[in-house]
Coordinates of all heavy atoms in Angstrom, one line a residue:
M1 N 0.8 -1.2 0.0 CA 0.0 0.0 0.0 C 0.9 1.2 0.0 O 1.8 1.3 0.8 CB -0.9 0.0 1.3 CG -2.1 0.8 1.1 SD -3.2 0.7 2.6 CE -2.5 2.0 3.6
S2 N 0.6 2.2 -0.9 CA 1.4 3.3 -0.9 C 0.9 4.4 0.1 O -0.2 4.5 0.4 CB 1.5 3.9 -2.3 OG 0.3 4.6 -2.6
D3 N 1.9 5.1 0.6 CA 1.6 6.1 1.6 C 0.9 7.3 0.9 O 1.4 7.9 -0.1 CB 2.9 6.6 2.2 CG 2.7 7.4 3.4 OD1 1.9 8.3 3.4 OD2 3.4 7.1 4.4
P4 N -0.2 7.8 1.4 CA -0.9 8.9 0.7 C -0.1 10.2 0.7 O -0.4 11.0 -0.1 CB -2.2 9.0 1.5 CG -1.9 8.3 2.8 CD -0.9 7.3 2.5
W5 N 0.8 10.3 1.6 CA 1.6 11.5 1.7 C 2.7 11.5 0.8 O 3.3 12.5 0.5 CB 2.1 11.7 3.1 CG 1.0 12.0 4.1 CD1 0.1 11.1 4.6 CD2 0.5 13.3 4.5 NE1 -0.8 11.8 5.4 CE2 -0.6 13.1 5.3 CE3 0.9 14.6 4.2 CZ2 -1.3 14.2 5.9 CZ3 0.2 15.7 4.8 CH2 -0.9 15.4 5.7
E6 N 3.1 10.3 0.3 CA 4.3 10.2 -0.5 C 4.2 11.0 -1.8 O 5.1 11.6 -2.3 CB 4.5 8.7 -0.9 CG 5.9 8.5 -1.3 CD 6.3 7.0 -1.2 OE1 5.5 6.2 -0.8 OE2 7.4 6.7 -1.6
K7 N 3.0 11.0 -2.4 CA 2.8 11.7 -3.7 C 3.0 13.2 -3.5 O 3.5 13.9 -4.4 CB 1.4 11.4 -4.3 CG 0.3 11.9 -3.5 CD -1.0 11.7 -4.2 CE -2.3 12.0 -3.5 NZ -2.2 12.8 -2.3
D8 N 2.8 13.7 -2.3 CA 3.0 15.1 -2.1 C 4.4 15.5 -2.1 O 4.8 16.7 -2.2 CB 2.3 15.6 -0.8 CG 0.8 15.4 -0.8 OD1 0.3 15.5 -2.0 OD2 0.2 15.3 0.2
L9 N 5.3 14.5 -1.9 CA 6.7 14.8 -1.8 C 7.3 14.6 -3.2 O 8.5 14.7 -3.3 CB 7.3 13.8 -0.9 CG 7.4 14.3 0.6 CD1 8.0 13.2 1.4 CD2 8.2 15.5 0.7
S10 N 6.6 14.3 -4.2 CA 7.1 14.1 -5.5 C 7.9 15.3 -5.9 O 7.7 16.4 -5.5 CB 6.0 13.8 -6.5 OG 5.2 14.9 -6.6
C11 N 8.8 15.1 -6.8 CA 9.7 16.2 -7.2 C 9.0 17.2 -8.1 O 9.1 17.2 -9.3 CB 10.9 15.6 -8.0 SG 12.0 14.7 -6.9
A12 N 8.2 18.1 -7.5 CA 7.5 19.1 -8.2 C 8.5 20.0 -8.9 O 9.6 20.3 -8.4 CB 6.7 19.9 -7.2
E13 N 8.2 20.4 -10.1 CA 9.1 21.3 -10.9 C 8.9 22.7 -10.6 O 9.7 23.6 -11.0 CB 9.0 20.9 -12.4 CG 9.6 19.6 -12.6 CD 9.3 19.1 -14.1 OE1 8.7 19.8 -14.8 OE2 9.8 18.0 -14.4
K14 N 7.8 23.0 -10.0 CA 7.6 24.4 -9.6 C 6.8 24.5 -8.3 O 6.1 23.6 -7.9 CB 6.9 25.2 -10.7 CG 5.6 24.7 -11.2 CD 5.2 25.5 -12.4 CE 3.9 25.1 -12.9 NZ 3.4 25.9 -14.0
C15 N 6.9 25.7 -7.7 CA 6.2 25.9 -6.5 C 4.7 25.9 -6.7 O 4.3 26.6 -7.7 CB 6.7 27.3 -5.9 SG 5.7 27.9 -4.5
S16 N 4.0 25.3 -5.9 CA 2.5 25.2 -6.1 C 1.8 26.5 -5.8 O 0.7 26.7 -6.1 CB 1.9 24.0 -5.3 OG 2.0 24.3 -3.9
N17 N 2.5 27.4 -5.1 CA 1.9 28.6 -4.7 C 2.2 29.8 -5.6 O 1.3 30.5 -6.1 CB 2.4 29.0 -3.3 CG 1.6 30.1 -2.7 OD1 0.4 30.1 -2.6 ND2 2.4 31.1 -2.3
C18 N 3.5 30.0 -6.0 CA 3.9 31.1 -6.8 C 4.4 30.8 -8.2 O 4.7 31.6 -9.0 CB 4.9 32.0 -6.1 SG 6.5 31.2 -6.0
D19 N 4.4 29.5 -8.5 CA 4.9 29.0 -9.8 C 6.3 29.2 -10.1 O 6.8 29.1 -11.2 CB 4.0 29.6 -10.9 CG 2.7 28.9 -11.1 OD1 2.5 27.8 -10.5 OD2 1.9 29.4 -11.8
A20 N 7.1 29.6 -9.0 CA 8.5 29.7 -9.2 C 9.1 28.3 -9.6 O 8.7 27.3 -9.1 CB 9.2 30.2 -8.0
E21 N 10.0 28.3 -10.5 CA 10.6 27.0 -10.9 C 11.5 26.5 -9.8 O 12.2 27.2 -9.2 CB 11.4 27.2 -12.2 CG 10.5 27.3 -13.4 CD 11.3 27.1 -14.7 OE1 12.3 26.4 -14.7 OE2 10.9 27.8 -15.7
L22 N 11.4 25.2 -9.6 CA 12.2 24.5 -8.6 C 13.1 23.5 -9.4 O 12.6 22.6 -10.0 CB 11.4 23.8 -7.6 CG 10.5 24.6 -6.7 CD1 9.5 23.7 -5.9 CD2 11.4 25.4 -5.7
S23 N 14.4 23.7 -9.2 CA 15.3 22.7 -9.9 C 15.5 21.6 -8.8 O 15.2 21.8 -7.6 CB 16.6 23.3 -10.3 OG 17.4 23.6 -9.2
Q24 N 16.2 20.5 -9.2 CA 16.4 19.5 -8.3 C 17.2 19.9 -7.1 O 17.2 19.3 -6.1 CB 17.0 18.3 -9.0 CG 16.1 17.6 -10.0 CD 16.5 16.2 -10.3 OE1 17.6 15.8 -10.0 NE2 15.6 15.5 -11.0
R25 N 18.0 20.9 -7.3 CA 18.9 21.3 -6.2 C 18.3 22.3 -5.3 O 18.8 22.6 -4.2 CB 20.1 22.1 -6.8 CG 21.1 21.1 -7.5 CD 22.2 21.9 -8.0 NE 23.2 21.1 -8.8 CZ 24.2 21.6 -9.4 NH1 24.5 22.9 -9.3 NH2 25.0 20.9 -10.1
D26 N 17.1 22.8 -5.7 CA 16.5 23.8 -4.8 C 15.7 23.1 -3.7 O 15.1 22.1 -3.9 CB 15.4 24.6 -5.6 CG 16.1 25.6 -6.6 OD1 17.2 26.0 -6.3 OD2 15.5 25.8 -7.6
Q27 N 15.9 23.7 -2.5 CA 15.1 23.2 -1.4 C 13.6 23.6 -1.6 O 13.3 24.6 -2.1 CB 15.6 23.8 -0.1 CG 17.0 23.3 0.3 CD 17.4 23.7 1.7 OE1 17.1 24.8 2.1 NE2 17.9 22.8 2.4
R28 N 12.8 22.7 -1.1 CA 11.4 23.0 -1.1 C 10.9 22.4 0.2 O 11.6 21.7 0.9 CB 10.7 22.4 -2.3 CG 10.6 20.9 -2.4 CD 11.8 20.2 -2.9 NE 12.4 20.7 -4.1 CZ 12.0 20.5 -5.4 NH1 11.0 19.7 -5.5 NH2 12.6 21.0 -6.4
I29 N 9.6 22.7 0.5 CA 9.1 22.3 1.8 C 7.5 22.2 1.6 O 7.0 22.8 0.7 CB 9.4 23.4 2.9 CG1 9.2 22.9 4.3 CG2 8.8 24.7 2.6 CD1 9.9 23.7 5.4
L30 N 6.9 21.4 2.4 CA 5.4 21.3 2.2 C 4.7 22.4 3.0 O 5.0 22.7 4.1 CB 5.0 19.9 2.7 CG 5.6 18.7 2.0 CD1 5.0 17.4 2.6 CD2 5.5 18.7 0.5
S31 N 3.7 22.9 2.3 CA 2.8 23.8 3.0 C 1.9 23.2 4.0 O 1.4 22.1 3.8 CB 1.9 24.5 1.9 OG 0.8 25.2 2.5
V32 N 1.8 23.8 5.2 CA 0.9 23.2 6.2 C -0.6 23.4 5.8 O -1.5 22.8 6.3 CB 1.1 23.7 7.6 CG1 2.6 23.4 8.1 CG2 0.8 25.1 7.8
Y33 N -0.8 24.3 4.9 CA -2.2 24.6 4.4 C -2.6 23.7 3.3 O -3.8 23.2 3.3 CB -2.3 26.1 4.0 CG -2.1 27.1 5.1 CD1 -0.8 27.6 5.3 CD2 -3.1 27.5 5.9 CE1 -0.6 28.5 6.4 CE2 -2.9 28.4 6.9 CZ -1.6 28.9 7.1 OH -1.4 29.8 8.2
T34 N -1.8 23.5 2.3 CA -2.2 22.7 1.2 C -1.5 21.3 1.1 O -1.9 20.5 0.3 CB -1.9 23.5 -0.1 OG1 -0.5 23.6 -0.3 CG2 -2.5 24.9 -0.1
H35 N -0.4 21.1 1.8 CA 0.4 19.9 1.7 C 1.1 19.8 0.4 O 1.5 18.7 0.0 CB -0.4 18.7 2.1 CG -1.1 18.8 3.3 ND1 -0.5 19.0 4.6 CD2 -2.5 18.7 3.6 CE1 -1.4 19.0 5.5 NE2 -2.6 18.9 5.0
E36 N 1.1 20.9 -0.4 CA 1.8 20.8 -1.7 C 3.2 21.4 -1.4 O 3.4 22.2 -0.6 CB 1.1 21.8 -2.7 CG -0.3 21.4 -3.0 CD -0.4 20.2 -3.9 OE1 0.6 19.9 -4.6 OE2 -1.4 19.5 -3.8
P37 N 4.2 21.0 -2.3 CA 5.5 21.5 -2.2 C 5.5 23.0 -2.6 O 4.9 23.4 -3.6 CB 6.3 20.7 -3.2 CG 5.5 19.5 -3.5 CD 4.1 19.9 -3.3
I38 N 6.2 23.8 -1.8 CA 6.3 25.2 -2.0 C 7.7 25.7 -1.9 O 8.5 24.9 -1.3 CB 5.4 26.1 -1.1 CG1 5.6 25.9 0.3 CG2 3.9 25.9 -1.5 CD1 4.9 26.8 1.3
C39 N 8.1 26.8 -2.4 CA 9.4 27.3 -2.3 C 9.7 27.9 -1.0 O 8.7 28.2 -0.2 CB 9.7 28.3 -3.5 SG 8.9 29.9 -3.3
M40 N 10.9 28.2 -0.6 CA 11.2 28.7 0.7 C 10.7 30.1 0.9 O 10.4 30.5 2.0 CB 12.8 28.6 0.9 CG 13.3 27.2 0.9 SD 12.4 26.0 2.0 CE 12.8 26.7 3.6
N41 N 10.6 30.9 -0.2 CA 10.1 32.2 -0.1 C 8.6 32.2 0.4 O 8.2 32.9 1.3 CB 10.1 32.9 -1.4 CG 11.4 33.7 -1.6 OD1 12.0 34.1 -0.6 ND2 11.8 33.9 -2.9
C42 N 7.9 31.3 -0.3 CA 6.5 31.1 0.1 C 6.3 30.6 1.5 O 5.4 31.0 2.2 CB 5.8 30.2 -0.9 SG 5.5 31.0 -2.5
K43 N 7.2 29.8 1.9 CA 7.2 29.3 3.3 C 7.3 30.4 4.3 O 6.6 30.5 5.3 CB 8.3 28.2 3.5 CG 8.2 27.5 4.9 CD 6.8 26.7 5.0 CE 6.7 26.0 6.3 NZ 5.5 25.2 6.3
R44 N 8.2 31.3 4.0 CA 8.4 32.4 4.9 C 7.1 33.3 5.0 O 6.8 33.8 6.0 CB 9.6 33.3 4.5 CG 10.9 32.7 4.9 CD 12.1 33.6 4.6 NE 12.5 33.6 3.2 CZ 13.4 32.8 2.7 NH1 13.9 31.8 3.5 NH2 13.7 32.8 1.4
Q45 N 6.5 33.4 3.9 CA 5.2 34.2 3.9 C 4.1 33.4 4.7 O 3.4 34.0 5.5 CB 4.7 34.4 2.4 CG 5.5 35.2 1.6 CD 5.8 36.6 2.1 OE1 4.9 37.2 2.6 NE2 7.0 37.1 2.1
E46 N 4.1 32.1 4.5 CA 3.2 31.3 5.2 C 3.3 31.4 6.7 O 2.4 31.4 7.5 CB 3.4 29.8 4.7 CG 2.3 28.9 5.2 CD 2.4 27.5 4.6 OE1 1.8 27.3 3.5 OE2 3.1 26.6 5.1
E47 N 4.6 31.4 7.1 CA 4.9 31.5 8.5 C 4.4 32.7 9.2 O 4.2 32.8 10.4 CB 6.4 31.3 8.8 CG 6.8 29.9 8.6 CD 8.4 29.7 8.6 OE1 9.1 30.8 8.5 OE2 8.8 28.6 8.6
K48 N 4.2 33.7 8.4 CA 3.7 35.0 8.9 C 2.2 35.1 9.1 O 1.7 36.0 9.7 CB 4.1 36.2 8.0 CG 5.6 36.4 8.0 CD 5.9 37.6 7.1 CE 7.4 37.7 6.9 NZ 7.8 38.4 5.7
R49 N 1.5 34.1 8.5 CA 0.0 34.1 8.7 C -0.4 33.9 10.1 O 0.2 33.1 10.8 CB -0.6 33.0 7.8 CG -0.4 33.4 6.3 CD -0.7 32.3 5.4 NE -2.1 31.8 5.4 CZ -2.7 31.1 4.4 NH1 -2.0 30.8 3.3 NH2 -3.9 30.8 4.5
P50 N -1.4 34.7 10.6 CA -1.7 34.7 12.0 C -2.2 33.3 12.5 O -2.0 33.0 13.7 CB -2.9 35.7 12.1 CG -3.3 36.0 10.7 CD -2.2 35.7 9.8
D51 N -2.7 32.5 11.6 CA -3.2 31.2 12.0 C -2.2 30.1 11.8 O -2.5 28.9 12.0 CB -4.6 30.8 11.3 CG -4.4 30.8 9.8 OD1 -3.4 31.2 9.3 OD2 -5.3 30.3 9.1
Y52 N -1.0 30.4 11.4 CA 0.0 29.4 11.0 C 0.2 28.4 12.1 O 0.3 27.2 11.9 CB 1.3 30.1 10.7 CG 2.4 29.1 10.3 CD1 2.4 28.5 9.1 CD2 3.4 28.8 11.2 CE1 3.4 27.6 8.7 CE2 4.4 27.9 10.9 CZ 4.4 27.3 9.6 OH 5.4 26.4 9.3
E53 N 0.4 28.9 13.4 CA 0.7 28.0 14.5 C -0.5 27.0 14.7 O -0.2 25.8 14.9 CB 0.9 28.8 15.7 CG 2.1 28.2 16.5 CD 2.5 29.1 17.6 OE1 3.1 30.2 17.3 OE2 2.3 28.8 18.8
D54 N -1.7 27.5 14.7 CA -2.8 26.6 14.9 C -3.0 25.6 13.8 O -3.2 24.4 14.0 CB -4.1 27.4 15.0 CG -4.2 28.2 16.3 OD1 -3.5 27.8 17.2 OD2 -5.1 29.1 16.4
V55 N -2.8 26.1 12.6 CA -2.9 25.2 11.4 C -1.8 24.1 11.5 O -2.1 23.0 11.2 CB -2.9 26.0 10.1 CG1 -2.8 25.1 8.9 CG2 -4.1 26.9 10.0
S56 N -0.6 24.5 11.9 CA 0.5 23.6 12.0 C 0.2 22.5 12.9 O 0.4 21.3 12.7 CB 1.8 24.3 12.4 OG 2.2 25.2 11.5
K57 N -0.3 22.9 14.1 CA -0.7 21.8 15.1 C -1.7 20.9 14.6 O -1.6 19.7 14.8 CB -1.1 22.5 16.4 CG 0.0 23.1 17.2 CD -0.5 23.8 18.4 CE 0.5 24.7 19.1 NZ -0.1 25.8 19.9
G58 N -2.7 21.4 14.0 CA -3.8 20.5 13.4 C -3.2 19.6 12.4 O -3.6 18.4 12.3
M59 N -2.4 20.2 11.5 CA -1.8 19.4 10.4 C -1.0 18.2 11.0 O -1.0 17.1 10.5 CB -0.9 20.3 9.6 CG -0.4 19.7 8.3 SD 1.0 18.6 8.6 CE 2.2 19.6 9.4
I60 N -0.2 18.5 12.0 CA 0.7 17.5 12.6 C -0.2 16.3 13.1 O 0.1 15.2 12.9 CB 1.6 18.0 13.7 CG1 2.6 19.0 13.1 CG2 2.3 16.9 14.5 CD1 3.4 19.8 14.2
A61 N -1.2 16.7 13.9 CA -2.1 15.7 14.5 C -2.7 14.8 13.4 O -2.7 13.6 13.4 CB -3.2 16.3 15.3
Q62 N -3.2 15.5 12.3 CA -3.8 14.8 11.2 C -2.8 13.9 10.5 O -3.1 12.8 10.1 CB -4.4 15.8 10.2 CG -5.2 15.2 9.1 CD -6.5 14.5 9.6 OE1 -7.2 15.1 10.4 NE2 -6.7 13.2 9.2
C63 N -1.6 14.4 10.3 CA -0.6 13.7 9.5 C -0.2 12.4 10.3 O 0.0 11.3 9.7 CB 0.6 14.6 9.3 SG 1.8 13.9 8.2
I64 N 0.0 12.6 11.6 CA 0.4 11.4 12.4 C -0.7 10.3 12.4 O -0.5 9.1 12.2 CB 0.7 11.8 13.8 CG1 2.0 12.6 13.8 CG2 0.8 10.6 14.8 CD1 2.3 13.3 15.2
E65 N -2.0 10.8 12.4 CA -3.1 9.9 12.3 C -3.1 9.2 11.0 O -3.3 7.9 10.9 CB -4.4 10.6 12.6 CG -5.5 9.8 13.0 CD -6.8 10.6 13.2 OE1 -6.7 11.6 14.0 OE2 -7.8 10.3 12.5
D66 N -2.9 9.9 9.9 CA -3.0 9.4 8.6 C -1.9 8.4 8.2 O -2.1 7.4 7.6 CB -3.0 10.5 7.5 CG -4.3 11.3 7.5 OD1 -5.2 10.9 8.2 OD2 -4.3 12.3 6.7
T67 N -0.7 8.8 8.7 CA 0.5 8.0 8.3 C 0.8 6.9 9.3 O 1.5 5.9 9.0 CB 1.8 8.8 8.2 OG1 2.0 9.4 9.5 CG2 1.6 9.9 7.2
G68 N 0.3 7.0 10.5 CA 0.5 6.1 11.6 C 2.0 6.0 12.0 O 2.5 5.0 12.5
R69 N 2.7 7.1 11.7 CA 4.1 7.2 12.0 C 4.4 8.4 13.0 O 3.7 9.4 12.9 CB 5.0 7.4 10.8 CG 4.9 6.2 9.8 CD 5.9 6.5 8.7 NE 5.6 5.6 7.5 CZ 6.1 4.4 7.5 NH1 6.8 3.9 8.4 NH2 5.8 3.6 6.4
P70 N 5.4 8.2 13.8 CA 5.7 9.3 14.7 C 6.2 10.5 13.9 O 6.7 10.4 12.8 CB 6.8 8.8 15.6 CG 7.3 7.6 15.0 CD 6.3 7.1 14.0
Y71 N 6.0 11.7 14.4 CA 6.3 12.9 13.7 C 7.7 13.0 13.2 O 8.0 13.4 12.1 CB 6.0 14.1 14.7 CG 6.6 15.4 14.2 CD1 6.0 16.0 13.1 CD2 7.7 16.0 14.8 CE1 6.5 17.2 12.6 CE2 8.1 17.2 14.3 CZ 7.6 17.8 13.2 OH 8.1 19.0 12.7
G72 N 8.7 12.5 14.0 CA 10.1 12.6 13.6 C 10.5 11.6 12.5 O 11.7 11.6 12.1
D73 N 9.7 10.7 12.2 CA 10.0 9.7 11.2 C 9.9 10.2 9.8 O 8.9 10.6 9.3 CB 9.1 8.5 11.4 CG 9.4 7.3 10.5 OD1 10.1 7.5 9.5 OD2 9.0 6.2 10.8
P74 N 11.1 10.3 9.1 CA 11.0 10.9 7.7 C 10.1 10.2 6.8 O 9.6 10.8 5.8 CB 12.5 10.8 7.2 CG 13.3 10.6 8.5 CD 12.4 9.9 9.5
R75 N 9.9 8.9 7.0 CA 9.0 8.2 6.1 C 7.5 8.6 6.3 O 6.6 8.3 5.5 CB 9.1 6.7 6.3 CG 10.4 6.1 5.8 CD 10.6 4.7 6.2 NE 10.6 4.6 7.7 CZ 10.5 3.5 8.4 NH1 10.4 2.4 7.8 NH2 10.5 3.6 9.7
G76 N 7.3 9.3 7.5 CA 5.9 9.7 7.7 C 5.5 11.0 7.1 O 4.4 11.4 7.0
Y77 N 6.6 11.7 6.6 CA 6.4 12.9 5.8 C 5.9 14.1 6.6 O 5.9 15.2 6.1 CB 5.5 12.7 4.6 CG 6.1 11.6 3.7 CD1 5.5 10.4 3.5 CD2 7.3 11.9 3.0 CE1 6.1 9.4 2.8 CE2 7.9 10.9 2.2 CZ 7.3 9.7 2.1 OH 7.8 8.7 1.4
C78 N 5.4 14.0 7.8 CA 4.8 15.1 8.5 C 5.9 16.1 8.7 O 5.7 17.3 8.6 CB 4.4 14.6 9.9 SG 3.3 13.2 9.8
F79 N 7.0 15.7 9.1 CA 8.3 16.2 9.1 C 8.7 17.2 8.1 O 9.2 18.3 8.3 CB 9.1 14.9 9.0 CG 10.5 15.0 9.1 CD1 11.1 15.0 10.4 CD2 11.3 14.9 8.0 CE1 12.4 15.0 10.5 CE2 12.7 14.9 8.2 CZ 13.2 15.0 9.4
Y80 N 8.3 16.9 6.8 CA 8.7 17.8 5.7 C 7.9 19.0 5.6 O 8.2 19.9 4.7 CB 8.7 17.0 4.4 CG 9.8 16.0 4.3 CD1 9.5 14.6 4.4 CD2 11.1 16.3 4.3 CE1 10.4 13.6 4.4 CE2 12.1 15.4 4.3 CZ 11.8 14.0 4.3 OH 12.7 13.1 4.3
H81 N 7.0 19.2 6.5 CA 6.3 20.5 6.5 C 7.1 21.5 7.2 O 6.9 22.7 7.2 CB 4.9 20.4 7.2 CG 3.9 19.6 6.4 ND1 4.0 18.2 6.4 CD2 2.9 19.9 5.7 CE1 2.9 17.7 5.7 NE2 2.3 18.8 5.2
F82 N 8.2 21.0 7.9 CA 9.0 21.9 8.7 C 10.5 21.8 8.4 O 11.3 22.6 8.7 CB 8.8 21.7 10.2 CG 7.3 21.8 10.6 CD1 6.5 20.7 10.7 CD2 6.7 23.1 10.6 CE1 5.2 20.8 11.0 CE2 5.4 23.2 10.9 CZ 4.6 22.0 11.1
C83 N 10.8 20.7 7.7 CA 12.2 20.5 7.4 C 12.3 20.5 5.8 O 11.8 19.7 5.1 CB 12.5 19.1 7.9 SG 14.2 18.6 7.6
P84 N 13.1 21.5 5.3 CA 13.2 21.6 3.9 C 13.9 20.4 3.3 O 14.7 19.7 4.0 CB 14.1 22.8 3.7 CG 14.1 23.6 5.0 CD 13.8 22.5 6.0
Y85 N 13.5 20.0 2.1 CA 14.1 18.8 1.5 C 14.5 19.1 0.0 O 13.9 20.1 -0.5 CB 13.2 17.6 1.6 CG 11.9 17.7 0.8 CD1 11.8 17.2 -0.4 CD2 10.9 18.5 1.4 CE1 10.6 17.3 -1.1 CE2 9.7 18.6 0.7 CZ 9.6 18.0 -0.6 OH 8.4 18.1 -1.3
K86 N 15.3 18.3 -0.5 CA 15.6 18.4 -1.9 C 15.1 17.1 -2.6 O 14.9 16.1 -1.9 CB 17.1 18.6 -2.2 CG 17.6 19.9 -1.7 CD 19.1 20.0 -1.9 CE 19.6 21.2 -1.1 NZ 21.1 21.3 -1.2
C87 N 15.0 17.1 -3.9 CA 14.5 16.0 -4.6 C 15.5 14.8 -4.5 O 16.7 15.0 -4.5 CB 14.5 16.3 -6.1 SG 12.9 16.7 -6.6
Ligands
ZN101 ZN1 6.7 29.9 -4.1

């Protein structure tokens, strides 16, 4: 069975928020709002949103439930909403 979160980690070629191109070497991170890969610029904007902290907490709880993995487990992907990754 494939992990439903795995597809969100696919090597997106552009930021799902601003359409900036992402090369394989560029770091990207998952949005806590959409779970789509976004660029680091957009992440900084996202972090400024007033509900960011609440949304993050809800997202973590949901992600752990969905994946059945602890938050710190990279295979659980919850992690990549806060830890930038490369392709
Ligand atoms: Zn972006």
